[in-house]
Amino acid sequence: MEVPILKQGPFLIATIQAALSDADLEQLRTALVNQAVRYRSLGVIVDVTAMDVMDSFASRMLLTISRMIRLRGADTVIVGIQPDVAFAMVQLGLTLEDIPTALDLEEGLAYLQQRCRNSS
Amino acid sequence: MSDPVEMNISSDMDVVRARQEGRSKALLIGFSVSEATLIATAISELARNIVSYAGEGVVALQAVQTGSRSGLVIVAADKGPGIANVSLALRDGYSSSGGLGLGLPGVRRLMDEFDLVSAPGRGTTVTVKKWRPRM
C-alpha cells in the first residue's frame, strides 16, 4: 500500500490511507525524503488519521522521517493522531519526542506557514 | 464465545493481519474501540518480535470466560533463539536505560496479565490477557 504524497506549494503532504506494514513505512520514508529534496520543500505533513495502530516501529519511523527532513532544513508535522491511538501510545511508553503534532491537516498547514513566516 | 484463532507469523504483512484480526475479535466480544486499540497495539509489538527475533511463530487469540469475567487471551509463541535474560527484557528501556528494546514492558502496561516463558535455544512464549471492565 503506497502512501500518496501531494505537493502543495512549498510543502509536501503524505496521507496514510490504510494500515501500513513495516515495509510500507520504510517506503514512505524514502519517498518523502527524496521528494523533499527534489522539490526543495520547506515542510512536510504526515496525516495519520487513518492509522489504526501506532506501535514502536511506526513511531520510530516517523521520528526518523522528521530527523531526516530536519537535516534538510525543513519541518515535519504529524497530524490526525486518533485519541484511542494516542492513549495506546502513552501506555506503551512511546513519544514522538520533539516532532510537532497538530489536530488535522488545516492546523498542520497553518503551523508550517507560521514557521515559514517567522524564518523569512 | 467465539472460536479460537491461530495465525502463522513470518512477515511484516502477517503483523498487520494479526493486529487487525485481534482488533475485530476484541470488538466482537464486547471490548470498546479504545480497548481494542490497546489490544491491537500489543499484538503488533508481540508479532513484530516474532518476525524480528525468531523469523516465524504463531499468534493465537482466544476469548475466555471465568466466573463473571470475560476477556481475551493472546499467546505469541516462537521457536527462536529465546531470551537469556528475561528480567532485562522486562526492564523499561525504550530510550537507553538498558532494556532489550523488545517493547515487552510496554505490552505489559497495555494488558492486564502478562506471562513470559523463555530460555536460550528454547524459543519464547508470551501470554497476555485483557479483561473486560465489569459492568
Side-chain angles (χ1 to χ4, degrees):
Chain A
M1 169 67 64
E2 201 165 311
V3 177
I5 299 173
L6 188 78
K7 182 177 175 300
Q8 168 120 0
F11 307 131
L12 293 178
I13 302 169
T15 308
I16 294 171
Q17 292 176 321
L20 295 184
S21 70
D22 297 356
D24 296 332
L25 281 161
E26 283 168 349
Q27 193 271 339
L28 171 65
R29 176 196 57 195
T30 308
L32 259 183
V33 174
N34 285 345
Q35 293 204 28
V37 170
R38 183 185 317 144
Y39 297 120
R40 303 176 64 82
S41 303
L42 300 176
V44 168
I45 293 177
V46 183
D47 186 347
V48 299
T49 308
M51 267 180 104
D52 58 336
V53 162
M54 181 87 77
D55 62 7
S56 56
F57 187 88
S59 318
R60 200 161 60 237
M61 205 48 78
L62 291 178
L63 272 171
T64 307
I65 289 171
S66 155
R67 287 181 183 146
M68 287 177 162
I69 298 293
R70 178 101 291 267
L71 289 172
R72 286 286 304 171
D75 289 303
T76 302
V77 189
I78 309 297
V79 306
I81 297 177
Q82 294 302 298
D84 295 332
V85 172
F87 182 56
M89 286 176 71
V90 171
Q91 298 274 83
L92 198 54
L94 301 175
T95 69
L96 292 175
E97 294 179 22
D98 50 354
I99 314 181
T101 52
L103 208 53
D104 54 25
L105 197 52
E106 202 177 331
E107 302 252 330
L109 274 170
Y111 174 89
L112 286 179
Q113 278 153 358
Q114 185 68 40
R115 293 275 299 181
C116 285
R117 265 198 297 277
N118 289 347
S119 60
S120 61
Chain B
M1 195 96 339
S2 55
D3 294 330
V5 181
E6 198 172 293
M7 292 164 285
N8 292 320
I9 306 293
S10 63
S11 76
D12 64 334
M13 284 310 297
D14 295 333
V15 175
V16 174
R17 205 156 28 236
R19 71 174 184 234
Q20 287 175 339
E21 185 68 34
R23 174 190 295 275
S24 50
K25 195 160 176 78
L27 293 173
L28 193 70
I29 61 180
F31 281 104
S32 69
V33 174
S34 182
E35 290 159 337
T37 302
L38 298 181
I39 290 167
T41 307
I43 293 173
S44 195
E45 295 291 320
L46 294 174
R48 177 169 300 99
N49 281 349
I50 291 178
V51 176
S52 303
Y53 298 100
E56 58 178 357
V58 170
V59 168
L61 311 171
Q62 165 92 69
V64 282
Q65 179 103 43
T66 53
S68 61
R69 293 203 299 182
S70 65
L72 184 65
V73 179
I74 298 146
V75 181
D78 65 63
K79 296 189 171 67
I83 300 168
N85 189 338
V86 169
S87 66
L88 188 60
L90 293 178
R91 190 182 298 170
D92 224 334
Y94 175 71
S95 48
S96 63
S97 56
L100 292 183
L102 299 175
L104 292 175
V107 171
R108 177 140 79 166
R109 278 194 297 275
L110 292 176
M111 306 299 283
D112 296 324
E113 292 180 34
F114 180 100
D115 181 56
L116 170 66
V117 178
S118 185
R122 307 260 295 276
T124 301
T125 299
V126 183
T127 305
V128 294
K129 289 181 195 163
K130 189 82 180 168
W131 297 108
R132 282 181 59 200
R134 287 169 210 262
M135 290 304 138

